[in-house]
Amino acid sequence: RLLCWINQTIDDPRIIGAENLKDLYTWIDASYAVHANMRGQTGGCMSMGWGVTHAKSSKQKLNGKSTTETELIRVSEYLPYNIWAIMFLLER
């Protein structure tokens, strides 16, 4: 069903917008030891109000010893995108 929906909506316009250029919302999540080599999976997205401006999902580069450590790894892997976005918006 998902592939049918993607094929039917592939030409729809993507609507993004900002309530305020100073607000940057970020959601990050991680799963512990889901790969064969015991590495976690990290995912995150950024928005400024309406729609997603950046999204990424990837295998973690480090092995975590616990779910808490996996969460810390996810923040350290996704936060550079936020920092870049903030610096970009401040300089424009």
Side-chain angles (χ1 to χ4, degrees):
R1 282 195 243 164
L2 178 62
L3 290 177
C4 289
W5 179 80
I6 290 172
N7 284 331
Q8 292 171 355
T9 61
I10 199 160
D11 292 326
D12 289 358
R14 287 168 179 74
I15 300 171
I16 60 171
E19 296 170 355
N20 183 350
L21 289 179
K22 295 180 182 178
D23 293 336
L24 183 64
Y25 305 101
T26 305
W27 297 273
I28 307 172
D29 195 20
S31 296
Y32 172 66
V34 294
H35 295 284
N37 60 0
M38 300 304 288
R39 290 193 180 170
Q41 183 76 18
T42 296
C45 64
M46 286 188 291
S47 175
M48 295 179 69
W50 297 287
V52 174
T53 55
H54 181 269
K56 182 180 183 206
S57 178
S58 64
K59 183 191 290 189
Q60 289 185 341
K61 297 175 182 139
L62 299 172
N63 286 351
K65 295 179 185 175
S66 66
T67 55
T68 304
E69 190 173 347
T70 301
E71 297 287 332
L72 291 172
I73 293 169
R74 80 175 155 99
V75 170
S76 70
E77 288 186 358
Y78 194 77
L79 214 53
Y81 296 104
N82 271 29
I83 294 169
W84 180 88
I86 291 168
M87 291 174 65
F88 177 79
L89 290 171
L90 289 175
E91 293 298 321
R92 50 180 244 46

Coordinates of all heavy atoms in Angstrom, one line a residue:
R1 N 0.8 -1.2 0.0 CA 0.0 0.0 0.0 C 0.9 1.3 0.0 O 0.5 2.2 -0.6 CB -0.9 0.0 1.2 CG -2.1 -0.9 1.1 CD -3.1 -0.5 2.2 NE -3.3 -1.7 3.0 CZ -3.8 -1.6 4.2 NH1 -4.2 -0.5 4.7 NH2 -4.0 -2.7 4.9
L2 N 2.0 1.2 0.7 CA 2.8 2.4 0.8 C 3.4 2.8 -0.6 O 3.4 3.9 -1.0 CB 4.0 2.1 1.8 CG 5.0 3.3 1.9 CD1 4.3 4.5 2.4 CD2 6.1 2.9 2.8
L3 N 3.8 1.8 -1.3 CA 4.4 2.1 -2.7 C 3.3 2.6 -3.6 O 3.6 3.5 -4.4 CB 5.0 0.8 -3.3 CG 6.3 0.4 -2.6 CD1 6.8 -0.9 -3.2 CD2 7.4 1.4 -2.7
C4 N 2.1 2.1 -3.5 CA 1.0 2.7 -4.3 C 0.7 4.1 -3.9 O 0.5 5.0 -4.8 CB -0.3 1.8 -4.1 SG -0.2 0.2 -4.8
W5 N 0.7 4.4 -2.7 CA 0.5 5.8 -2.2 C 1.6 6.7 -2.7 O 1.4 7.8 -3.2 CB 0.4 5.9 -0.7 CG 0.2 7.2 -0.2 CD1 -1.0 7.9 -0.1 CD2 1.2 8.1 0.3 NE1 -0.7 9.2 0.4 CE2 0.6 9.3 0.7 CE3 2.6 8.0 0.5 CZ2 1.3 10.4 1.2 CZ3 3.3 9.1 1.1 CH2 2.6 10.2 1.4
I6 N 2.9 6.2 -2.6 CA 4.0 7.1 -3.1 C 3.9 7.3 -4.6 O 4.1 8.4 -5.1 CB 5.3 6.4 -2.8 CG1 5.6 6.4 -1.2 CG2 6.5 7.0 -3.5 CD1 6.8 5.6 -0.8
N7 N 3.6 6.3 -5.4 CA 3.4 6.5 -6.8 C 2.3 7.4 -7.2 O 2.4 8.2 -8.1 CB 3.2 5.1 -7.5 CG 4.5 4.3 -7.6 OD1 5.6 4.9 -7.7 ND2 4.4 3.0 -7.6
Q8 N 1.2 7.4 -6.4 CA 0.1 8.3 -6.7 C 0.3 9.7 -6.3 O -0.3 10.6 -6.8 CB -1.2 7.7 -6.0 CG -1.7 6.4 -6.5 CD -2.8 5.8 -5.7 OE1 -3.1 6.3 -4.6 NE2 -3.4 4.7 -6.2
T9 N 1.2 9.9 -5.3 CA 1.4 11.3 -4.8 C 2.7 11.9 -5.1 O 3.1 12.9 -4.6 CB 1.2 11.3 -3.3 OG1 2.2 10.4 -2.7 CG2 -0.2 10.9 -2.9
I10 N 3.5 11.2 -6.0 CA 4.9 11.7 -6.3 C 4.9 13.0 -6.9 O 5.9 13.8 -6.7 CB 5.6 10.6 -7.2 CG1 7.1 10.8 -7.0 CG2 5.1 10.6 -8.6 CD1 7.9 9.6 -7.4
D11 N 3.9 13.4 -7.7 CA 3.9 14.8 -8.3 C 3.2 15.8 -7.5 O 3.1 17.0 -8.0 CB 3.3 14.7 -9.7 CG 4.1 13.8 -10.6 OD1 5.4 13.9 -10.5 OD2 3.5 13.1 -11.5
D12 N 2.7 15.5 -6.3 CA 2.0 16.5 -5.5 C 3.0 17.5 -5.0 O 4.2 17.2 -4.7 CB 1.4 15.8 -4.3 CG 0.1 15.0 -4.7 OD1 -0.2 15.0 -5.8 OD2 -0.5 14.4 -3.8
P13 N 2.7 18.8 -4.8 CA 3.6 19.8 -4.3 C 3.9 19.5 -2.9 O 3.1 19.1 -2.1 CB 2.9 21.1 -4.5 CG 1.4 20.7 -4.6 CD 1.3 19.4 -5.1
R14 N 5.1 19.8 -2.5 CA 5.5 19.6 -1.1 C 5.5 21.0 -0.5 O 6.1 22.0 -0.9 CB 7.0 19.1 -1.0 CG 7.0 17.6 -1.3 CD 8.4 17.1 -1.5 NE 8.4 15.7 -1.8 CZ 8.1 15.2 -3.0 NH1 7.6 15.9 -4.0 NH2 8.2 13.9 -3.2
I15 N 4.7 21.1 0.6 CA 4.4 22.4 1.2 C 5.3 22.5 2.5 O 5.1 21.7 3.4 CB 2.9 22.6 1.5 CG1 2.1 22.5 0.3 CG2 2.7 23.9 2.3 CD1 0.6 22.5 0.5
I16 N 6.2 23.5 2.5 CA 6.9 23.7 3.7 C 6.8 25.2 4.0 O 6.6 26.0 3.1 CB 8.4 23.4 3.6 CG1 9.1 24.1 2.5 CG2 8.6 21.9 3.4 CD1 10.6 23.9 2.4
G17 N 6.9 25.6 5.3 CA 6.7 27.0 5.7 C 7.3 27.2 7.1 O 7.6 26.2 7.8
A18 N 7.4 28.4 7.4 CA 7.9 28.7 8.7 C 7.0 29.7 9.5 O 6.5 30.7 8.9 CB 9.3 29.3 8.6
E19 N 6.7 29.4 10.7 CA 6.0 30.3 11.5 C 6.9 31.5 12.0 O 6.5 32.6 12.1 CB 5.4 29.6 12.8 CG 4.4 28.5 12.4 CD 4.1 27.7 13.6 OE1 4.7 27.8 14.7 OE2 3.2 26.8 13.5
N20 N 8.2 31.1 12.2 CA 9.1 32.1 12.6 C 10.5 31.6 12.3 O 10.8 30.4 12.5 CB 9.0 32.3 14.2 CG 9.9 33.3 14.7 OD1 10.8 33.8 14.0 ND2 9.8 33.7 15.9
L21 N 11.4 32.3 11.7 CA 12.7 31.8 11.3 C 13.6 31.5 12.4 O 14.7 31.0 12.3 CB 13.4 32.8 10.3 CG 12.8 32.9 8.9 CD1 13.5 34.0 8.1 CD2 12.8 31.6 8.2
K22 N 13.2 32.0 13.6 CA 14.0 31.7 14.8 C 13.7 30.4 15.5 O 14.4 29.9 16.4 CB 13.9 32.8 15.8 CG 14.4 34.1 15.3 CD 14.2 35.2 16.3 CE 14.8 36.5 15.7 NZ 14.6 37.7 16.6
D23 N 12.6 29.7 15.1 CA 12.2 28.4 15.7 C 12.6 27.3 14.8 O 12.2 27.3 13.6 CB 10.7 28.4 15.9 CG 10.2 29.4 16.9 OD1 11.0 29.8 17.7 OD2 9.0 29.8 16.8
L24 N 13.3 26.4 15.3 CA 13.8 25.2 14.6 C 13.4 24.0 15.4 O 13.9 23.8 16.5 CB 15.3 25.2 14.3 CG 15.8 24.1 13.5 CD1 15.2 24.0 12.1 CD2 17.3 24.2 13.4
Y25 N 12.5 23.2 15.0 CA 12.0 22.0 15.7 C 12.8 20.8 15.2 O 13.0 20.6 14.1 CB 10.5 21.8 15.5 CG 9.7 23.0 15.9 CD1 9.2 23.8 14.9 CD2 9.4 23.3 17.2 CE1 8.4 24.9 15.2 CE2 8.7 24.4 17.5 CZ 8.2 25.2 16.5 OH 7.4 26.3 16.8
T26 N 13.2 19.9 16.2 CA 14.0 18.7 15.9 C 13.4 17.5 16.6 O 13.1 17.6 17.8 CB 15.5 18.9 16.3 OG1 15.9 20.1 15.6 CG2 16.3 17.8 15.8
W27 N 13.3 16.4 15.9 CA 12.9 15.2 16.5 C 13.9 14.1 16.1 O 14.3 14.0 15.0 CB 11.5 14.7 16.0 CG 10.4 15.7 16.3 CD1 9.7 15.7 17.5 CD2 10.0 16.8 15.6 NE1 8.8 16.7 17.5 CE2 8.9 17.4 16.3 CE3 10.3 17.3 14.3 CZ2 8.2 18.5 15.8 CZ3 9.6 18.4 13.8 CH2 8.6 19.0 14.6
I28 N 14.5 13.4 17.2 CA 15.5 12.4 16.9 C 15.1 11.2 17.7 O 14.6 11.3 18.8 CB 16.9 12.9 17.4 CG1 17.2 14.3 16.8 CG2 18.0 11.9 17.1 CD1 18.5 14.9 17.4
D29 N 15.4 10.0 17.1 CA 15.1 8.8 17.8 C 16.1 7.7 17.4 O 16.8 7.9 16.4 CB 13.7 8.2 17.4 CG 13.2 7.2 18.4 OD1 13.8 7.1 19.5 OD2 12.3 6.4 18.0
A30 N 16.3 6.8 18.3 CA 17.3 5.7 18.0 C 16.8 4.4 18.5 O 16.0 4.3 19.4 CB 18.6 6.0 18.7
S31 N 17.3 3.3 17.9 CA 17.0 1.9 18.3 C 18.3 1.3 18.6 O 19.3 1.4 17.9 CB 16.3 1.2 17.2 OG 15.0 1.8 16.9
Y32 N 18.2 0.5 19.7 CA 19.5 -0.1 20.2 C 19.7 -1.5 19.6 O 18.8 -2.4 19.6 CB 19.3 -0.2 21.8 CG 20.4 -1.0 22.4 CD1 21.7 -0.6 22.5 CD2 20.1 -2.2 23.1 CE1 22.7 -1.3 23.1 CE2 21.1 -3.0 23.7 CZ 22.4 -2.5 23.7 OH 23.4 -3.2 24.3
A33 N 20.9 -1.8 19.1 CA 21.4 -3.1 18.6 C 20.4 -3.8 17.7 O 20.1 -4.9 17.9 CB 21.7 -4.0 19.8
V34 N 20.0 -3.1 16.6 CA 19.1 -3.7 15.6 C 19.8 -4.3 14.5 O 19.2 -5.1 13.7 CB 18.1 -2.7 15.1 CG1 17.1 -2.2 16.2 CG2 18.7 -1.5 14.5
H35 N 21.1 -4.1 14.3 CA 21.9 -4.6 13.2 C 22.7 -5.8 13.6 O 22.9 -6.0 14.8 CB 22.8 -3.6 12.6 CG 22.0 -2.4 11.9 ND1 21.4 -2.6 10.7 CD2 21.8 -1.2 12.4 CE1 20.8 -1.4 10.4 NE2 21.0 -0.6 11.4
A36 N 23.1 -6.7 12.7 CA 23.8 -7.9 13.0 C 25.1 -7.6 13.8 O 25.5 -8.4 14.6 CB 24.2 -8.6 11.7
N37 N 25.8 -6.5 13.5 CA 27.0 -6.1 14.3 C 26.7 -5.3 15.6 O 27.6 -4.7 16.1 CB 27.9 -5.3 13.4 CG 27.3 -4.0 12.9 OD1 26.2 -3.7 13.2 ND2 28.0 -3.3 12.1
M38 N 25.4 -5.4 16.0 CA 25.0 -4.8 17.3 C 25.0 -3.3 17.3 O 25.0 -2.7 18.4 CB 25.8 -5.3 18.5 CG 25.7 -6.8 18.7 SD 24.0 -7.4 18.8 CE 23.6 -6.9 20.4
R39 N 25.0 -2.7 16.1 CA 24.9 -1.2 16.1 C 23.5 -0.8 16.1 O 22.6 -1.5 15.6 CB 25.7 -0.7 14.8 CG 27.2 -0.8 15.0 CD 27.9 -0.1 14.0 NE 29.3 -0.3 14.2 CZ 30.3 0.1 13.4 NH1 29.9 0.7 12.2 NH2 31.5 -0.2 13.6
G40 N 23.3 0.4 16.5 CA 21.9 1.0 16.5 C 21.5 1.7 15.2 O 22.4 1.9 14.3
Q41 N 20.3 2.1 15.1 CA 19.8 2.9 14.0 C 19.3 4.2 14.5 O 18.6 4.3 15.5 CB 18.6 2.1 13.4 CG 18.0 2.8 12.2 CD 18.9 2.6 10.9 OE1 19.7 1.7 10.9 NE2 18.7 3.4 9.9
T42 N 19.7 5.3 13.8 CA 19.4 6.6 14.2 C 18.5 7.3 13.1 O 18.8 7.1 12.0 CB 20.7 7.5 14.4 OG1 21.4 6.9 15.5 CG2 20.4 8.9 14.7
G43 N 17.6 8.1 13.6 CA 16.7 8.8 12.6 C 16.4 10.2 13.2 O 16.3 10.3 14.4
G44 N 16.2 11.1 12.4 CA 15.8 12.5 12.9 C 15.3 13.3 11.8 O 15.5 13.0 10.6
C45 N 14.5 14.4 12.1 CA 14.0 15.3 11.2 C 13.9 16.7 11.8 O 13.9 16.8 13.0 CB 12.7 14.9 10.6 SG 11.4 14.8 11.8
M46 N 14.0 17.7 10.9 CA 13.9 19.1 11.3 C 12.7 19.8 10.6 O 12.4 19.4 9.5 CB 15.1 19.9 11.0 CG 16.3 19.6 11.8 SD 17.7 20.7 11.5 CE 18.2 20.1 9.9
S47 N 12.1 20.7 11.3 CA 11.0 21.5 10.7 C 11.1 22.9 11.3 O 11.6 23.1 12.3 CB 9.7 20.8 11.1 OG 8.6 21.6 10.6
M48 N 10.5 23.8 10.5 CA 10.4 25.2 11.0 C 8.9 25.6 11.1 O 8.7 26.8 11.3 CB 11.1 26.1 10.0 CG 12.6 25.8 10.0 SD 13.5 26.8 8.8 CE 13.4 28.4 9.6
G49 N 8.0 24.6 11.1 CA 6.6 25.0 11.2 C 5.8 24.0 10.5 O 5.1 23.2 11.0
W50 N 5.8 24.1 9.1 CA 5.0 23.3 8.3 C 5.9 22.5 7.4 O 6.7 23.0 6.7 CB 4.0 24.1 7.4 CG 3.0 24.9 8.1 CD1 1.9 24.4 8.8 CD2 3.1 26.3 8.3 NE1 1.3 25.4 9.4 CE2 1.9 26.6 9.1 CE3 3.9 27.3 8.0 CZ2 1.6 27.9 9.5 CZ3 3.6 28.6 8.3 CH2 2.5 28.9 9.1
G51 N 5.7 21.2 7.4 CA 6.5 20.3 6.6 C 7.9 20.1 7.2 O 8.4 20.7 8.1
V52 N 8.6 19.1 6.6 CA 9.9 18.7 7.1 C 11.0 19.3 6.2 O 10.9 19.2 4.9 CB 10.1 17.2 7.1 CG1 11.5 16.8 7.5 CG2 9.1 16.6 8.2
T53 N 12.0 20.0 6.7 CA 13.0 20.6 5.9 C 14.2 19.7 5.7 O 15.0 19.8 4.8 CB 13.5 21.9 6.5 OG1 13.9 21.7 7.8 CG2 12.3 23.0 6.4
H54 N 14.4 18.8 6.7 CA 15.5 17.8 6.6 C 15.2 16.6 7.3 O 14.6 16.6 8.4 CB 16.8 18.4 7.2 CG 18.0 17.5 7.2 ND1 18.3 16.7 8.2 CD2 18.9 17.4 6.2 CE1 19.4 16.0 7.8 NE2 19.8 16.4 6.6
A55 N 15.5 15.4 6.8 CA 15.2 14.1 7.4 C 16.4 13.2 7.1 O 16.9 13.2 6.0 CB 13.9 13.5 7.0
K56 N 16.8 12.4 8.1 CA 17.9 11.4 7.8 C 17.7 10.2 8.7 O 17.3 10.3 9.9 CB 19.2 12.1 8.1 CG 20.4 11.2 7.9 CD 21.7 11.8 8.2 CE 22.8 10.8 7.8 NZ 24.0 11.0 8.5
S57 N 18.0 9.1 8.2 CA 18.1 7.8 8.9 C 19.3 7.0 8.5 O 19.6 6.9 7.4 CB 16.8 7.0 8.6 OG 16.9 5.8 9.3
S58 N 20.1 6.5 9.5 CA 21.3 5.8 9.2 C 21.7 4.9 10.3 O 21.2 5.0 11.5 CB 22.4 6.8 8.9 OG 22.7 7.5 10.1
K59 N 22.6 4.0 10.0 CA 23.2 3.1 11.0 C 24.2 3.9 11.8 O 24.9 4.7 11.3 CB 23.9 1.9 10.3 CG 24.5 0.9 11.3 CD 25.4 -0.1 10.6 CE 24.7 -1.0 9.7 NZ 25.6 -2.1 9.2
Q60 N 24.2 3.7 13.1 CA 25.1 4.4 14.0 C 26.5 4.0 13.7 O 26.8 2.8 13.4 CB 24.8 4.2 15.4 CG 23.5 4.9 15.8 CD 23.2 4.8 17.3 OE1 23.8 4.0 18.0 NE2 22.4 5.7 17.8
K61 N 27.5 4.9 13.8 CA 28.9 4.6 13.6 C 29.6 4.0 14.7 O 30.6 3.4 14.6 CB 29.6 5.9 13.2 CG 29.0 6.6 11.9 CD 29.6 7.9 11.7 CE 29.0 8.5 10.4 NZ 28.7 9.9 10.5
L62 N 29.0 4.0 15.9 CA 29.6 3.4 17.1 C 28.6 2.4 17.7 O 27.4 2.5 17.6 CB 29.8 4.5 18.2 CG 30.8 5.7 17.8 CD1 30.7 6.7 18.9 CD2 32.2 5.1 17.7
N63 N 29.2 1.4 18.4 CA 28.3 0.5 19.2 C 28.1 1.1 20.5 O 29.0 1.6 21.2 CB 29.1 -0.8 19.3 CG 29.1 -1.6 18.1 OD1 28.5 -1.3 17.1 ND2 29.8 -2.7 18.1
G64 N 26.8 1.0 21.0 CA 26.4 1.5 22.3 C 26.3 0.3 23.2 O 25.9 -0.8 22.8
K65 N 26.6 0.5 24.5 CA 26.5 -0.5 25.5 C 25.1 -0.7 26.1 O 24.8 -1.7 26.7 CB 27.5 -0.3 26.7 CG 29.0 -0.3 26.2 CD 29.9 0.0 27.4 CE 31.3 0.0 26.9 NZ 32.2 0.4 28.0
S66 N 24.3 0.4 25.9 CA 23.0 0.3 26.5 C 22.1 1.3 25.7 O 22.6 2.0 24.8 CB 23.0 0.8 28.0 OG 23.4 2.2 28.0
T67 N 20.8 1.2 25.9 CA 19.9 2.1 25.2 C 20.2 3.6 25.5 O 20.1 4.4 24.6 CB 18.4 1.8 25.6 OG1 18.3 1.9 27.0 CG2 18.0 0.4 25.1
T68 N 20.6 3.9 26.7 CA 20.9 5.2 27.1 C 22.1 5.7 26.3 O 22.1 6.9 25.8 CB 21.2 5.4 28.6 OG1 20.1 4.8 29.3 CG2 21.5 6.8 29.0
E69 N 23.1 4.9 26.2 CA 24.3 5.3 25.4 C 24.0 5.4 23.9 O 24.5 6.3 23.2 CB 25.4 4.3 25.6 CG 26.7 4.7 25.0 CD 27.9 3.8 25.4 OE1 27.7 2.9 26.2 OE2 28.9 3.9 24.7
T70 N 23.1 4.6 23.4 CA 22.6 4.7 22.0 C 21.9 6.0 21.8 O 22.1 6.7 20.8 CB 21.7 3.5 21.7 OG1 22.3 2.3 21.9 CG2 21.2 3.6 20.3
E71 N 21.1 6.5 22.8 CA 20.5 7.8 22.6 C 21.5 8.9 22.6 O 21.3 9.9 21.9 CB 19.5 8.0 23.8 CG 18.4 7.0 23.9 CD 17.3 7.2 22.8 OE1 17.1 8.3 22.3 OE2 16.7 6.2 22.4
L72 N 22.5 8.8 23.4 CA 23.6 9.9 23.4 C 24.3 9.9 22.0 O 24.6 10.9 21.5 CB 24.6 9.7 24.5 CG 24.0 9.9 25.9 CD1 25.0 9.5 27.0 CD2 23.6 11.4 26.1
I73 N 24.6 8.7 21.5 CA 25.2 8.6 20.2 C 24.3 9.2 19.1 O 24.8 10.0 18.2 CB 25.5 7.1 19.8 CG1 26.6 6.6 20.8 CG2 26.0 7.0 18.4 CD1 26.8 5.1 20.7
R74 N 23.0 9.0 19.2 CA 22.1 9.6 18.2 C 22.1 11.1 18.2 O 22.1 11.7 17.1 CB 20.7 9.0 18.3 CG 20.0 9.8 19.4 CD 18.5 9.4 19.5 NE 18.1 9.6 20.9 CZ 17.5 10.7 21.3 NH1 17.1 11.6 20.4 NH2 17.2 10.9 22.5
V75 N 22.2 11.7 19.4 CA 22.2 13.1 19.5 C 23.5 13.7 18.9 O 23.5 14.6 18.1 CB 22.0 13.6 20.9 CG1 22.2 15.0 21.1 CG2 20.6 13.2 21.4
S76 N 24.6 13.0 19.2 CA 25.9 13.5 18.7 C 26.0 13.3 17.2 O 26.7 14.1 16.5 CB 27.0 12.8 19.4 OG 27.1 11.5 19.0
E77 N 25.3 12.4 16.6 CA 25.3 12.2 15.1 C 24.4 13.1 14.4 O 24.7 13.4 13.2 CB 25.1 10.7 14.8 CG 26.2 9.8 15.1 CD 26.0 8.4 14.7 OE1 24.9 8.1 14.1 OE2 26.9 7.6 14.9
Y78 N 23.3 13.5 15.0 CA 22.3 14.3 14.2 C 22.4 15.8 14.5 O 22.1 16.6 13.7 CB 20.9 13.8 14.5 CG 19.9 14.4 13.6 CD1 19.7 13.9 12.3 CD2 19.1 15.5 13.9 CE1 18.8 14.4 11.4 CE2 18.2 16.1 13.0 CZ 18.1 15.5 11.7 OH 17.2 16.0 10.8
L79 N 22.9 16.2 15.7 CA 23.0 17.6 16.0 C 23.8 18.5 15.1 O 23.5 19.6 14.9 CB 23.5 17.7 17.5 CG 23.0 18.8 18.3 CD1 21.5 18.8 18.3 CD2 23.5 18.8 19.7
P80 N 24.9 18.0 14.4 CA 25.6 18.9 13.5 C 24.7 19.4 12.4 O 24.9 20.5 11.9 CB 26.7 18.0 12.9 CG 26.9 17.0 14.0 CD 25.6 16.7 14.6
Y81 N 23.6 18.7 12.0 CA 22.7 19.2 11.0 C 21.9 20.4 11.5 O 21.7 21.4 10.8 CB 21.7 18.1 10.5 CG 22.4 17.0 9.8 CD1 22.7 15.8 10.5 CD2 22.9 17.1 8.5 CE1 23.3 14.7 9.9 CE2 23.6 16.1 7.9 CZ 23.8 14.9 8.6 OH 24.4 13.9 8.0
N82 N 21.5 20.3 12.8 CA 20.9 21.5 13.4 C 21.8 22.7 13.5 O 21.4 23.8 13.2 CB 20.4 21.1 14.8 CG 19.1 20.5 14.9 OD1 18.7 19.9 13.9 ND2 18.4 20.7 15.9
I83 N 23.0 22.4 14.0 CA 24.0 23.6 14.1 C 24.2 24.2 12.7 O 24.2 25.4 12.6 CB 25.3 23.0 14.7 CG1 25.0 22.6 16.2 CG2 26.4 24.1 14.7 CD1 26.1 21.8 16.8
W84 N 24.4 23.4 11.7 CA 24.6 24.0 10.4 C 23.3 24.8 9.9 O 23.5 25.9 9.4 CB 24.8 22.9 9.3 CG 25.0 23.4 8.0 CD1 26.2 23.8 7.4 CD2 24.0 23.7 7.0 NE1 26.0 24.3 6.1 CE2 24.6 24.2 5.9 CE3 22.6 23.5 6.9 CZ2 24.0 24.6 4.7 CZ3 22.0 23.8 5.8 CH2 22.6 24.4 4.7
A85 N 22.1 24.3 10.2 CA 20.9 25.0 9.8 C 20.8 26.3 10.5 O 20.5 27.4 9.9 CB 19.7 24.1 10.0
I86 N 21.1 26.4 11.8 CA 21.1 27.6 12.6 C 22.1 28.6 12.0 O 21.8 29.8 11.8 CB 21.3 27.3 14.1 CG1 20.0 26.5 14.6 CG2 21.5 28.6 14.8 CD1 20.2 26.0 16.0
M87 N 23.3 28.1 11.8 CA 24.3 29.0 11.3 C 24.0 29.6 9.9 O 24.2 30.7 9.6 CB 25.7 28.3 11.3 CG 26.2 28.0 12.7 SD 27.7 27.1 12.7 CE 28.9 28.1 11.9
F88 N 23.4 28.7 9.1 CA 23.0 29.1 7.7 C 21.9 30.2 7.8 O 21.9 31.2 7.1 CB 22.4 27.9 6.9 CG 21.9 28.3 5.6 CD1 22.8 28.5 4.5 CD2 20.6 28.4 5.4 CE1 22.3 28.8 3.3 CE2 20.1 28.7 4.1 CZ 20.9 28.9 3.1
L89 N 20.9 30.0 8.7 CA 19.8 31.0 8.8 C 20.3 32.3 9.4 O 19.8 33.4 9.1 CB 18.7 30.4 9.7 CG 17.9 29.3 9.0 CD1 17.0 28.7 10.0 CD2 17.1 29.8 7.8
L90 N 21.3 32.3 10.3 CA 21.8 33.5 10.9 C 22.6 34.3 9.9 O 22.7 35.5 10.0 CB 22.7 33.2 12.1 CG 22.0 32.7 13.4 CD1 23.0 32.2 14.4 CD2 21.0 33.7 13.9
E91 N 23.3 33.6 9.0 CA 24.1 34.3 8.0 C 23.4 34.9 6.8 O 23.9 35.6 6.0 CB 25.2 33.4 7.5 CG 26.2 33.1 8.6 CD 27.0 34.3 9.1 OE1 27.3 35.2 8.3 OE2 27.2 34.4 10.3
R92 N 22.1 34.4 6.6 CA 21.5 34.9 5.3 C 20.9 36.2 5.5 O 20.7 37.0 6.0 CB 20.4 33.9 4.9 CG 19.4 33.4 5.9 CD 18.5 32.5 5.2 NE 17.1 32.7 5.1 CZ 16.4 33.8 4.7 NH1 16.9 34.8 4.4 NH2 15.1 33.8 4.7

